[in-house]
């Protein structure tokens, strides 16, 4: 690129097209030279140059006609950074305010055709570089990385995608697909997945707006005080553990996203916002907030509403460059100062460097580990999704236990535990189930959970299920054994014989495992 800039060569600037800037060259018919011409702003300027060269009398016999070719497209578009701002009028307000620009974003395939020419013409006509930073993105290819071609039939029409899956989904897919130095693979499956994310975001907004719909005007105004007062760092310690955790994680997200965007890393921040909203805010905090909002403690309800509004508002601001339409639509319905910030596109970017409670993050992560362990055990023992089970939680200290106890309702809700059968204890001070009467889960150092088997399994139902599987496996095994014992089967193709033997062996193992499991279930039912 710099070699092009430092070793500029002449290039043909004329094109035989019906459109474009007509070349400002006037041919002189009747002059001293056969191919004489003048370069001028217009015909009047061209004639003044002829008069200066030949005098009034001689000029009367000279005819001018303008060149019919037009300028090369790239030559014309090279004027774009300043010609669109009023140049050559040096007094233009737009030119003074917006030129030179700061960043140019474009594809690497036109680095010489367009970018280099903008630099040449910018220096040549304004003595200024039109921009300081050139950000090059890759080419948009199909999902397999192939260049789109009508011949191959792999062209993705953006208008069709927008009409079916939405502008935001396509825009988000393209921007988050950008990786420095690589092309952008575009598949409709990704766009569809991101359309689902837009729907998820909309449903988050509906949940929050639905829970503040009946509030008075003064209560609605109070919901935005966390942001507008600028006192979130001073107040974060007033909140309960789930609120301190999600607010801290939100502040960490703002810092990480802002830093990456400043570094021209556009893809990764979009993915981080997605993961935070879906995996942390929706799956954990919104689910935990239901125990607060539907409870009887008014102070908890206020804190929860404030937190929900604050975090979603912050994330909408972060996500707006990626998904401008759905974020603006949701944000307009959210409580905010409409006179100071009439639209999300002109709203302030979230402040960086706000309070992060590392202890709250660590403590809530332990509770997440506890819930995940219980969920995994439920899945392993095939507990019905709606069935609430019993649990004993054992901690290494009284302080840890009391801190977790304060979030008993959230733990019970997230792990599908019957609140009336949720027990607590400190290691060494509580009797824990012995043998196979309970599933023991070691969550982390100093935190264990015991799930009584009688709460996990409906023994009669589990026995019936296992007996049905055993009957089917024994029937299949009997069929394969008859086939192996049949006269003449040994003469079958070797591969068929080998596959049948292997199948019979696997079924024997399955039958033995099912019988052992039936014995275990019978023993547990007795205990």
């Amino acid at each position: 690129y710099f070699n092009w800039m430092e070793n500029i060569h002449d290039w043909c600037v004329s094109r035989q097209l019906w459109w474009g800037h007509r070349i400002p060259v006037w041919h002189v018919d009747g002059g001293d030279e056969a191919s004489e011409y003048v370069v001028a702003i217009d015909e009047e300027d061209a004639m003044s140059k002829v008069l200066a060269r030949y005098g009034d009398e001689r000029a009367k016999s000279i005819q001018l006609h303008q060149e019919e070719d037009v300028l090369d497209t790239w030559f014309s578009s090279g004027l774009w950074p300043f010609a669109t701002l009023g140049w050559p009028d040096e007094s233009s307000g737009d030119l003074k305010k917006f030129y030179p620009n700061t960043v140019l974003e474009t594809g690497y395939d036109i680095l010489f055709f367009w970018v280099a020419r903008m630099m040449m013409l910018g220096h040549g006509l304004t003595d200024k570089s039109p921009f300081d930073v050139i950000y090059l993105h890759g080419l948009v290819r199909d999902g397999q990385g192939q260049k789109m071609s009508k011949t191959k039939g792999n062209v993705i029409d953006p208008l069709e995608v927008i009409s079916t899956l939405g502008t935001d989904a396509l825009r988000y897919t393209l921007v988050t697909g950008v990786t420095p130095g690589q092309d952008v693979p575009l598949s409709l499956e990704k766009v569809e997945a991101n359309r689902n994310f837009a729907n998820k975001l909309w449903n988050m907004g509906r949940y929050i707006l639905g829970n503040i719909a009946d509030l008075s005007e003064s209560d609605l105004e109070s919901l935005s005080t966390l942001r507008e007062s600028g006192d979130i760092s001073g107040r974060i310690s007033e909140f309960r553990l789930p609120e301190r955790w999600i607010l801290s994680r939100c502040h960490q997200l703002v810092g990480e996203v802002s830093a990456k965007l400043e570094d021209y890393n556009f893809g990764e921040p979009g993915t981080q916002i997605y993961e935070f909203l879906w995996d942390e805010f929706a799956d954990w905090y919104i689910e935990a907030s239901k125990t607060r909002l539907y409870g009887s403690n008014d102070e908890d309800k206020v804190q929860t509403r404030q937190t929900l509004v604050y975090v979603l508002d912050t994330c909408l601001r972060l996500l707006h460059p990626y998904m401008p339409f759905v974020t603006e639509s949701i944000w307009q319905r959210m409580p905010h100062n409409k006179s100071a910030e009439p639209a999300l596109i002109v709203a302030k970017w979230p402040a960086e460097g706000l309070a992060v409670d590392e202890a709250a993050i660590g403590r809530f992560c332990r509770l997440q580990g506890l819930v995940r362990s219980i969920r995994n055990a439920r899945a392993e023992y095939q507990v019905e999704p709606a069935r609430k089970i019993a649990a004993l939680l054992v901690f290494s200290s009284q302080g840890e236990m009391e801190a977790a106890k304060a979030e008993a309702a959230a733990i019970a809700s997230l792990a599908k535990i019957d609140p009336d059968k949720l027990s607590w204890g400190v290691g060494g001070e509580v009797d824990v189930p012995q043998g196979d009467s309970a599933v023991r889960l070691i969550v982390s150092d100093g935190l264990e959970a015991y799930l009584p088997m009688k709460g996990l399994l409906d023994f009669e139902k589990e026995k019936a299920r296992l007996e049905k599987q055993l009957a089917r496996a024994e029937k299949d095994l009997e069929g394969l054994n008859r086939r192996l014992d049949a006269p003449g089967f040994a003469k079958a193709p070797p591969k068929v014989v080998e596959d049948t033997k292997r199948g019979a062996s696997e079924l024997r193992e399955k039958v033995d495992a099912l019988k052992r499991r039936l014995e275990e279930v019978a023993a547990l039912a007795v205990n």
Side-chain angles (χ1 to χ4, degrees):
Y1 172 78
F2 290 104
N3 183 55
W4 294 336
M5 294 293 92
E6 295 165 0
N7 297 280
I8 298 175
H9 295 279
D10 293 340
W11 78 90
C12 179
V13 297
S14 66
R15 295 291 184 273
Q16 294 75 47
L17 301 172
W18 289 104
W19 60 87
H21 288 139
R22 197 168 175 186
I23 293 178
V25 168
W26 277 261
H27 295 281
V28 180
D29 297 332
D32 293 340
E33 300 177 18
S35 58
E36 188 175 351
Y37 64 88
V38 292
V39 177
I41 295 174
D42 51 30
E43 188 168 354
E44 183 180 349
D45 183 36
M47 181 54 73
S48 67
K49 292 182 178 182
V50 170
L51 288 170
R53 184 180 301 178
Y54 290 106
D56 292 348
E57 287 301 317
R58 178 73 185 280
K60 291 178 181 178
S61 63
I62 291 176
Q63 299 291 322
L64 295 178
H65 69 273
Q66 188 177 355
E67 172 60 49
E68 294 182 355
D69 283 3
V70 298
L71 288 169
D72 166 23
T73 300
W74 299 111
F75 186 97
S76 296
S77 58
L79 302 170
W80 177 84
F82 45 88
T84 56
L85 300 175
W87 179 89
D89 180 5
E90 299 292 341
S91 64
S92 166
D94 286 346
L95 188 67
K96 289 180 178 180
K97 184 174 183 179
F98 298 110
Y99 187 82
N101 297 281
T102 304
V103 180
L104 171 74
E105 183 272 341
T106 187
Y108 65 79
D109 54 325
I110 54 173
L111 180 61
F112 176 71
F113 292 110
W114 189 22
V115 180
R117 284 164 169 77
M118 285 192 281
M119 292 293 288
M120 294 174 192
L121 293 171
H123 278 283
L125 298 175
T126 70
D127 292 325
K128 297 175 182 177
S129 295
F131 26 72
D132 296 325
V133 175
I134 302 168
Y135 180 88
L136 299 177
H137 63 70
L139 300 179
V140 179
R141 298 179 179 270
D142 70 9
Q144 285 69 50
Q146 299 295 316
K147 190 169 184 179
M148 293 187 193
S149 164
K150 290 182 180 179
T151 304
K152 294 179 180 178
N154 63 343
V155 175
I156 297 176
D157 185 339
L159 295 180
E160 289 183 5
V161 175
I162 288 170
S163 67
T164 56
L165 299 174
T167 305
D168 283 329
L170 178 60
R171 179 186 176 103
Y172 179 86
T173 303
L174 290 171
V175 178
T176 55
V178 170
T179 303
Q182 296 184 16
D183 290 337
V184 183
L186 177 63
S187 69
L188 292 180
E189 289 78 9
K190 284 185 180 179
V191 183
E192 186 173 356
N194 292 326
R195 187 275 312 274
N196 295 341
F197 171 54
N199 289 344
K200 182 75 170 181
L201 184 65
W202 183 262
N203 288 332
M204 292 181 211
R206 284 182 60 192
Y207 169 78
I208 294 171
L209 292 169
N211 278 286
I212 63 175
D214 296 331
L215 298 182
S216 65
E217 283 297 322
S218 59
D219 287 340
L220 284 173
E221 289 178 6
S222 71
L223 292 178
S224 57
T225 56
L226 274 183
R227 176 175 307 285
E228 293 172 5
S229 67
D231 193 31
I232 179 63
S233 291
R235 292 189 55 198
I236 194 169
S237 60
E238 301 172 7
F239 289 79
R240 291 179 59 174
L241 178 61
E243 283 71 34
R244 297 202 308 276
W245 166 73
I246 197 66
L247 289 170
S248 298
R249 286 291 299 119
C250 182
H251 293 161
Q252 287 180 330
L253 177 71
V254 170
E256 293 165 4
V257 168
S258 299
K260 287 182 171 67
L261 291 179
E262 289 288 344
D263 199 34
Y264 300 100
N265 180 350
F266 301 126
E268 190 178 346
T271 303
Q272 284 183 287
I273 301 167
Y274 176 113
E275 291 172 348
F276 173 81
L277 278 167
W278 199 310
D279 299 341
E280 297 184 63
F281 187 55
D283 286 357
W284 289 95
Y285 183 70
I286 285 182
E287 290 303 313
S289 74
K290 294 174 182 177
T291 62
R292 306 268 211 273
L293 294 176
Y294 305 149
S296 57
N297 189 311
D298 290 338
E299 184 179 350
D300 283 351
K301 290 180 182 180
V302 171
Q303 285 192 353
T304 302
R305 291 187 185 117
Q306 284 183 333
T307 303
L308 286 167
V309 169
Y310 177 86
V311 174
L312 183 60
D313 179 279
T314 300
C315 290
L316 291 175
R317 293 169 192 254
L318 296 177
L319 190 60
H320 187 63
Y322 296 87
M323 289 182 151
F325 297 103
V326 68
T327 52
E328 185 76 67
S329 182
I330 297 171
W331 190 80
Q332 287 296 338
R333 294 167 168 83
M334 298 279 288
H336 66 276
N337 189 332
K338 292 181 172 58
S339 59
E341 296 181 323
L344 184 54
I345 195 171
V346 294
K348 291 181 180 179
W349 187 256
E352 298 177 59
L354 296 179
V356 173
D357 188 335
E358 296 287 356
I361 292 175
R363 185 164 285 173
F364 193 83
C365 284
R366 292 186 73 191
L367 295 187
Q368 286 179 304
L370 170 64
V371 172
R372 288 193 184 101
S373 295
I374 295 174
R375 285 175 175 175
N376 290 339
R378 290 176 62 100
E380 182 180 347
Y381 286 93
Q382 299 181 344
V383 180
E384 298 93 331
R387 185 185 183 89
K388 293 187 180 296
I389 62 174
L392 167 63
L393 308 182
V394 181
F395 297 81
S396 58
S397 69
Q398 187 73 23
E400 287 289 330
M401 183 185 74
E402 293 301 329
K405 246 184 176 180
E407 305 306 327
I411 294 171
S413 175
L414 292 168
K416 296 288 181 65
I417 297 172
D418 186 341
D420 296 330
K421 297 180 180 178
L422 178 56
S423 305
W424 309 79
V426 176
E429 300 178 9
V430 63
D431 293 330
V432 298
Q434 301 298 319
D436 295 331
S437 63
V439 176
R440 181 190 182 195
L441 304 175
I442 301 176
V443 179
S444 62
D445 186 26
L447 175 56
E448 296 182 0
Y450 293 85
L451 310 179
M453 290 299 299
K454 287 184 178 180
L456 285 178
L457 290 176
D458 182 326
F459 293 105
E460 290 302 320
K461 188 179 290 186
E462 179 68 2
K463 180 183 175 185
R465 186 182 70 83
L466 291 171
E467 287 176 343
K468 185 176 180 181
Q469 288 187 355
L470 178 60
R472 186 185 305 117
E474 287 178 333
K475 182 179 179 182
D476 292 342
L477 178 59
E478 184 182 351
L480 290 182
N481 284 334
R482 280 201 306 269
R483 191 177 182 189
L484 288 168
D485 294 338
F489 183 72
K491 296 179 181 179
K495 187 176 185 309
V496 174
V497 175
E498 184 61 32
D499 289 346
T500 305
K501 287 181 177 179
R502 183 168 57 251
S505 176
E506 291 172 355
L507 280 171
R508 276 191 292 273
E509 292 178 3
K510 183 176 182 179
V511 167
D512 292 341
L514 287 168
K515 287 179 178 179
R516 286 195 301 271
R517 179 60 180 157
L518 273 168
E519 291 173 359
E520 292 171 1
V521 169
L524 291 170
V526 173
N527 293 332

